[in-house]
Amino acid sequence: MDGRPLVNDEFWGDLIDKSSGRNSQFKERDQLLLGLACLAGFREIELTLCTIDLFIAPNGELNELIVMPESIAYDNCERPIPLAHPDLQNLFQTYIKWLLNNGLNTHPGESYLGLNPNAQLFVDDSYKPYTVQKRGNDTLSPNSLNKHLDSLIKRASLWDCGIRRKSFVRTFIINGYRAGMSTSDLIVISGLGHDTIEKTLTMDYEQYSPIAEWFVKRREQKVKHLESMKKRRRFML
């Protein structure tokens, strides 16, 4: 199914480890992009337009909870987003070092860890901020980042397996629910409606894995039984 959520080790083992490659000069950027999308439910427009001051306090501390402003939020709906996930914090720290080492989005002084608080967090392959295109009714479309995220999925060999950009937020919802978030929490944090949340939770294929394992083991036992019967028949003959 196109747009299915990530399962098993597809996030860390495929997207994170394989999408950029060990020698990619943009590995740190790509890993944080994927981390915010899958571990925090960020949408493409939010990843494109979010600024550094949303994540880093003036004293240099990383924020563990942010409020996505209405001006850039999905569906123009302000919402809180927790960022305390240890793996996400590590991805942030690695990307910040990458920005500083490359002299990107910096400003004089030590506030905000030496980064320009008003600069967009992510840069494209030209080391410039990702751009958006205007559509009808002044709607902004993050086409540039959309294409890049699609390329990361394909590079990880997950496109033909049904993974799409919408898989990221679905993965976030399912993992959030597993971690103990209520559907009400997920509605507030993701900006999605109740029906969408409920439908997404039915896509949690891993919850059915014990059933699948039972059938696999049953089939293996049946094969072993047949092989055993064949051997017995040979002996009897």
Side-chain angles (χ1 to χ4, degrees):
M1 180 188 79
D2 287 351
R4 69 167 177 81
L6 295 159
V7 296
N8 300 322
D9 198 35
E10 287 180 334
F11 176 69
W12 292 108
D14 293 308
L15 270 180
I16 292 295
D17 288 347
K18 299 178 182 178
S19 62
S20 297
R22 293 182 180 179
N23 299 322
S24 172
Q25 58 185 321
F26 299 104
K27 178 179 68 174
E28 293 82 359
R29 177 204 62 190
D30 292 341
Q31 290 184 347
L32 182 57
L33 278 170
L34 295 168
L36 286 174
C38 292
L39 302 178
F42 273 59
R43 308 308 206 283
E44 295 87 338
I45 189 65
E46 297 166 349
L47 292 170
T48 297
L49 298 178
C50 62
T51 51
I52 288 173
D53 62 342
L54 195 60
F55 306 96
I56 303 175
N59 64 359
E61 292 185 0
L62 289 176
N63 295 326
E64 294 188 350
L65 178 69
I66 68 169
V67 176
M68 184 64 67
E70 179 182 327
S71 59
I72 66 172
Y74 170 76
D75 270 0
N76 301 115
C77 182
E78 180 183 84
R79 69 183 196 280
I81 302 178
L83 299 176
H85 194 294
D87 292 325
L88 193 54
Q89 291 281 308
N90 289 336
L91 292 176
F92 256 112
Q93 292 171 359
T94 302
Y95 179 63
I96 289 171
K97 290 179 182 178
W98 182 82
L99 287 175
L100 293 172
N101 289 339
N102 285 280
L104 299 170
N105 296 342
T106 59
H107 77 152
E110 298 181 357
S111 61
Y112 298 97
L113 297 176
L115 296 172
N116 180 359
N118 299 314
Q120 289 174 218
L121 178 64
F122 292 107
V123 296
D124 61 18
D125 289 2
S126 299
Y127 298 99
K128 296 180 180 179
Y130 278 101
T131 58
V132 294
Q133 291 75 40
K134 278 191 177 183
R135 291 184 174 177
N137 300 323
D138 293 328
T139 302
L140 298 178
S141 175
N143 286 342
S144 180
L145 185 61
N146 288 349
K147 292 178 180 178
H148 180 61
L149 291 176
D150 286 346
S151 72
L152 294 181
I153 296 172
K154 293 174 182 177
R155 201 179 303 169
S157 301
L158 291 174
W159 188 269
D160 292 338
C161 300
I163 300 302
R164 300 291 187 271
R165 280 179 279 114
K166 58 186 175 182
S167 301
F168 299 159
V169 69
R170 289 173 175 172
T171 301
F172 164 71
I173 290 169
I174 288 172
N175 287 332
Y177 189 76
R178 287 181 189 169
M181 291 186 187
S182 66
T183 53
S184 298
D185 293 334
L186 291 169
I187 289 170
V188 173
I189 293 172
S190 69
L192 297 172
H194 182 271
D195 289 346
T196 302
I197 296 292
E198 292 291 339
K199 289 178 181 178
T200 300
L201 292 177
T202 65
M203 299 179 189
D204 186 2
Y205 304 122
E206 286 190 44
Q207 67 176 309
Y208 305 113
S209 60
I211 300 175
E213 289 174 5
W214 184 85
F215 277 103
V216 170
K217 289 181 180 179
R218 184 169 181 267
R219 185 171 60 248
E220 290 175 350
Q221 290 172 353
K222 187 175 181 180
V223 170
K224 289 180 180 179
H225 178 70
L226 289 173
E227 290 296 326
S228 177
M229 288 297 293
K230 288 179 181 179
K231 290 179 181 180
R232 288 180 185 178
R233 287 176 182 174
R234 289 174 185 172
F235 178 77
M236 292 172 66
L237 290 173

